[in-house]
Amino acid sequence: MLSTWRHNLVSKSWLVDLPLIALAWWAAFWLRFNLELPPPYLGHALLTTPIALGCMALGLALARVPRQSWRYVSLADLRQLAAGVALGLVLTTALVMGLRIEGFPRSVFPIGGILALVLLAGARAAWRTLTERARVQELPPGPRQPLLIAGTLEEADHTLRTLKGVSGWRVTGIVSPQAQDVGRTLHGVPVLGAPDALAGIAAEQRVGTLLLASPPGAALRRELMLRWSGAAELKLLTLPSADELLRPGAVPAPRQVRLEDLLGRTPVQLDEQGLAGLFSGQTVLVTGAGGSIGAELCRQVARFGAARLVCVDVSEYASYRLEQELQRSFPALEGIYYTANVRDADRLRAIVRTHRPAVLLHAAAYKHVPLMEADNQIEALHTNVLGTLNAVRAAGEAGVARFVLVSTDKAVNPTSVMGASKRLAEQLVQALAGRYPATQFVSVRFGNVLGSSGSVVPLFTAQIEQGGPVTVTHPEIVRYFMTIPEAAQLVLQAGLMGRSGQIFVLDMGEPIRIVDLARLLIRMSGQSEREVPIAFTGLRPGEKLYEELLADDETSAATPHAKLRVAKVAPAPVEAAGRIEDWITTLGWAPDADLVRTGLARLVPEFRPPARG
C-alpha cells in the first residue's frame, strides 16, 4: 500500500494534471460570469484554487489515476478518471462550503468538475493519438498490401487495434455479417458489405487478402474459409490465438490460416487432476505407438507424468523416430521401444507380463479402407481383430487396471471390411470384459484426424505440390474431422471416466465436404483451381458418401463430459470371442472375398457391403 501511494505521489502525470485542474477551476469562474471575472470573485478564485488542486489531487490519487499508462489509455481508464474527478469535486465542495465564503458562486463546482474531466481526458486521448502516430511512423518503410477484414464490428475493432503496430498492411474495408453495419465506419475504415458479396468487394477494392477476425468456432469463419473466400480466390489470414501468443517469441501479427482453424473448436476440457492421478508415476503401454494417434497418445501420457512408457510398433523406423522425439522432449521419461507385432500373441503377452503396465492403450490397426477391401481382407482381420484379442487377453492376464481400444466411426453400420473388423474388435473387448473383472475395458470411436498418416490432407498436399489434379472421389462426400491432439486427449479422458464394456463416441462437430477441404488447401498453397484443378474419381470400394453422426440422442447417451457420449450398443456375449476367433482361424491365408463378407455379415448384423458390379 505504501509503495502504491509513493508511486501516485511522484507520478509525472501531475506535471500535466495539476496545471489543467487549475485551468479548469479558473475557467469555471470565467464562464460563470459570462467570460468576465469581477474583482470580488477574483479573490474567491485565488483563495480556493489551492483547495481545488489539493482535493482534486487527493481524489485522483484515491482512484489510482496517476498509475495509468497514457500511451494505452482506454475507456476503462477514462471511467476511472471520471471517478477520481467526481471524488475530488465532492471533497472540494465540502471544504469550500465549510469555509462559508460569503457570496461564493456554487455553480462553479459542477462547471469546474466538467471542465477538469474534459481537459484531463483530452490530454490523455491526445497523448495516445500522438504515440500511435509515432509508432506508425517508426514502422519500416515500404509498400503496404491492401487487406479486408471479415467479422462483426466488435471483432474488427480488436483486429484493427492489433494491426496498428504491424507493418506491411493497409486495411481498405470491413466485411460484416450484420446488415445494419453496412455503410458505417470503424477507426476510419468503412464497412463495405456482407460476406456473400465478398467476391465483388475484393474485385472493386483490388484486394487479394482477407483477415478473419471471427474467433475459432464461429459460423462466419467456417463459411468464409470454405465458401465465400473461395469464389473470391483470396489469401486467408488470421490473428494468433491467446495460446499461441503465450509461446516464446510469438508476435501479434497476422498469420496464414491452418487446417486447425477450419475446425475451430474450443480446447478439450480435460480432468487434469484425474489424468495426472491415472498416469503420474505409472507404467503405460501403447500399441501402434509409431502411428499418428499412437505417437500423440505417447506425448500426452508423458505430459501427464508417466514414469515408464512402453511403446510397441511393428515399424522399426516409426519406433526410431518416436524414440528420438520423446528423448528430446521428455528426458526424464523412461522409454522402452519394441518392434513387435500385436498379431504375435506370445510376444505381446511377454512384453505386458514383463512391465505390468497400469494402462494399456491399443492403437495398433490397419485403417486404410480401400487397401483392406480387396487383397488385404485377411490382414485386416488378423491385425484389427485378432491383434485386439491378443491385447485384451494380455492385459487381463497381467491385471492391467485400464485398457482402451482406439476404434473408428467406420465401425458404425460398416460398409467396408475395415469398418467391420473394427466393430468385431469392439465386440471382443465387450465380450472379454466380464472375464477379467480387475481390468476396466473401454472402446473409443472417432472419425478422421487432420494430418494423420494416410488421411486426405497429406495426399492433397502432395498432389498440389505436383501441380494437380487433386483427386476427390465424389463432389458431395463429407467427413467429420478433428485434430490429432484433440483425438488423443479425448481417448485418455474416456479411458479415465469409462466403465468396463462401454463404447465412447466423440463429438466431431460439423461435417466438412471433402471438395471444400481440397479447395481450401489449394488456396492455402497460394494457387487457384485454374492452376491446380480438382478431379472427381468416383467412390472407392467400401467407401461411404456420408458417415453416420455418432453423437446424437438416438445412438448415444450423454456423459459428464460435453464432448464424450456412450454408444447405445448391446453388449456382446462372452461366447462371441470364441466364435470370432474360430471363424478367422478357419479362413486360412487366401480366403475367397465373398466368403469373408458372408462371415462378416453373420458376425456383424449391421454390416452392409456395397453391391459388387
Side-chain angles (χ1 to χ4, degrees):
M1 179 63 71
L2 184 60
S3 62
T4 298
W5 274 101
R6 187 181 298 116
H7 183 282
N8 288 346
L9 290 173
V10 301
S11 173
K12 294 179 181 178
S13 67
W14 293 122
L15 298 176
V16 177
D17 287 345
L18 291 178
L20 290 179
I21 292 170
L23 177 61
W25 189 247
W26 279 80
F29 280 90
W30 188 56
L31 291 175
R32 165 64 179 80
F33 296 102
N34 299 319
L35 310 184
E36 293 182 355
L37 196 55
Y41 300 104
L42 178 61
H44 292 170
L46 289 171
L47 175 64
T48 57
T49 295
I51 297 174
L53 283 172
C55 292
M56 280 290 185
L58 180 58
L60 295 177
L62 290 173
R64 297 190 176 186
V65 171
R67 297 178 65 87
Q68 294 177 347
S69 171
W70 286 30
R71 185 173 183 173
Y72 301 104
V73 69
S74 64
L75 288 176
D77 293 323
L78 294 182
R79 287 193 291 268
Q80 186 180 17
L81 175 64
V85 170
L87 180 57
L89 184 61
V90 170
L91 294 174
T92 303
T93 303
L95 193 55
V96 171
M97 294 301 293
L99 294 177
R100 299 183 181 276
I101 301 174
E102 184 178 354
F104 189 89
R106 299 180 181 181
S107 56
V108 166
F109 297 122
I111 298 174
I114 293 173
L115 290 176
L117 179 60
V118 170
L119 291 175
L120 296 180
R124 285 157 173 78
W127 182 261
R128 172 163 180 169
T129 301
L130 291 174
T131 55
E132 286 183 350
R133 287 183 178 178
R135 198 163 52 197
V136 171
Q137 292 173 356
E138 291 172 0
L139 294 175
R144 294 193 295 164
Q145 298 183 47
L147 176 72
L148 288 173
I149 293 177
T152 64
L153 291 188
E154 180 180 0
E155 296 159 351
D157 174 68
H158 168 71
T159 303
L160 286 168
R161 293 178 185 275
T162 302
L163 290 177
K164 284 182 179 179
V166 180
S167 62
W169 300 105
R170 174 172 56 86
V171 181
T172 63
I174 300 169
V175 177
S176 172
Q178 299 173 348
Q180 66 271 22
D181 293 340
V182 177
R184 296 180 177 178
T185 61
L186 181 67
H187 298 275
V189 179
V191 179
L192 299 175
D196 55 4
L198 183 59
I201 294 172
E204 181 181 345
Q205 297 289 319
R206 297 182 180 180
V207 175
T209 307
L210 178 70
L211 178 59
L212 304 176
S214 300
L220 176 62
R221 173 181 283 237
R222 184 184 178 91
E223 287 297 309
L224 284 166
M225 292 182 71
L226 292 177
R227 183 179 167 192
W228 290 313
S229 63
E233 296 186 353
L234 292 170
K235 178 182 178 182
L236 298 177
L237 300 177
T238 188
L239 291 178
S241 65
D243 290 339
E244 291 171 327
L245 291 175
L246 291 175
R247 297 170 186 168
V251 293
R255 62 162 176 80
Q256 188 176 4
V257 296
R258 297 192 285 259
L259 287 177
E260 293 87 339
D261 300 314
L262 175 62
L263 299 184
R265 286 197 285 272
T266 55
V268 176
Q269 298 299 315
L270 297 176
D271 180 358
E272 301 273 351
Q273 184 176 358
L275 289 171
L278 178 62
F279 294 114
S280 181
Q282 300 294 329
T283 297
V284 180
L285 190 148
V286 181
T287 69
S292 304
I293 299 301
E296 183 61 27
L297 287 173
C298 292
R299 297 182 197 104
Q300 296 290 340
V301 167
R303 184 170 71 87
F304 282 109
R308 180 187 296 119
L309 184 58
V310 183
C311 305
V312 178
D313 198 282
V314 72
S315 169
E316 178 190 31
Y317 179 60
S319 297
Y320 167 75
R321 285 195 310 170
L322 180 65
E323 177 190 29
Q324 296 300 304
E325 178 190 346
L326 293 181
Q327 285 180 349
R328 182 174 60 254
S329 303
F330 304 96
L333 174 70
E334 180 186 354
I336 302 171
Y337 304 88
Y338 289 100
T339 55
N341 197 324
V342 294
R343 289 158 58 158
D344 188 336
D346 292 335
R347 174 65 168 155
L348 187 59
R349 186 180 290 111
I351 293 172
V352 176
R353 188 183 299 118
T354 298
H355 297 286
R356 302 281 177 177
V359 181
L360 195 158
L361 305 173
H362 181 53
Y366 286 130
K367 63 180 183 180
H368 199 275
V369 171
L371 274 179
M372 298 300 108
E373 194 65 22
D375 301 322
N376 296 296
Q377 296 171 337
I378 194 65
E379 301 294 335
L381 294 177
H382 275 264
T383 295
N384 295 359
V385 184
L386 295 186
T388 299
L389 178 63
N390 296 336
V392 168
R393 285 173 172 166
E397 292 169 2
V400 173
R402 289 186 179 273
F403 176 99
V404 182
L405 167 67
V406 176
S407 189
T408 171
D409 58 355
K410 294 174 178 62
V412 183
N413 300 325
T415 60
S416 64
V417 172
M418 193 285 286
S421 70
K422 295 297 286 185
R423 179 69 190 107
L424 286 177
E426 293 176 352
Q427 290 183 12
L428 286 173
V429 173
Q430 284 187 310
L432 294 177
R435 185 175 297 178
Y436 305 105
T439 303
Q440 296 287 312
F441 290 93
V442 175
S443 300
V444 184
R445 294 173 178 168
F446 55 82
N448 300 275
V449 178
L450 280 176
S452 64
S453 60
S455 69
V456 296
V457 173
L459 171 63
F460 288 171
T461 302
Q463 291 175 337
I464 292 169
E465 290 175 352
Q466 296 167 6
V470 176
T471 56
V472 179
T473 57
H474 194 282
E476 297 301 325
I477 190 169
V478 298
R479 289 294 182 266
Y480 295 94
F481 286 94
M482 68 193 329
T483 64
I484 293 175
E486 182 180 17
Q489 290 169 5
L490 286 172
V491 167
L492 299 184
Q493 184 67 45
L496 171 66
M497 62 191 293
R499 297 194 304 273
S500 198
Q502 286 184 324
I503 298 176
F504 283 85
V505 295
L506 307 187
D507 175 13
M508 299 295 295
E510 294 295 323
I512 297 172
R513 286 203 314 166
I514 300 300
V515 68
D516 290 335
L517 180 61
R519 287 169 177 154
L520 178 61
L521 286 169
I522 292 172
R523 293 203 306 279
M524 288 172 61
S525 72
Q527 303 180 81
S528 67
E529 284 186 57
R530 293 189 300 272
E531 299 167 299
V532 182
I534 294 176
F536 297 103
T537 59
L539 291 176
R540 297 171 297 180
E543 189 173 45
K544 293 180 180 181
L545 191 61
Y546 304 97
E547 297 288 4
E548 276 81 356
L549 181 62
L550 302 183
D552 59 25
D553 293 335
E554 295 180 359
T555 61
S556 60
T559 73
H561 196 283
K563 291 192 175 185
L564 289 171
R565 300 178 71 90
V566 177
K568 296 178 181 178
V569 179
V574 176
E575 58 271 17
R579 290 201 305 266
I580 294 170
E581 184 178 18
D582 292 343
W583 172 66
I584 296 176
T585 303
T586 58
L587 282 175
W589 288 102
D592 178 75
D594 290 333
L595 183 62
V596 172
R597 289 187 174 85
T598 301
L600 285 174
R602 184 178 69 254
L603 294 170
V604 184
E606 62 268 34
F607 176 53
R608 296 291 182 270
R612 307 189 70 186

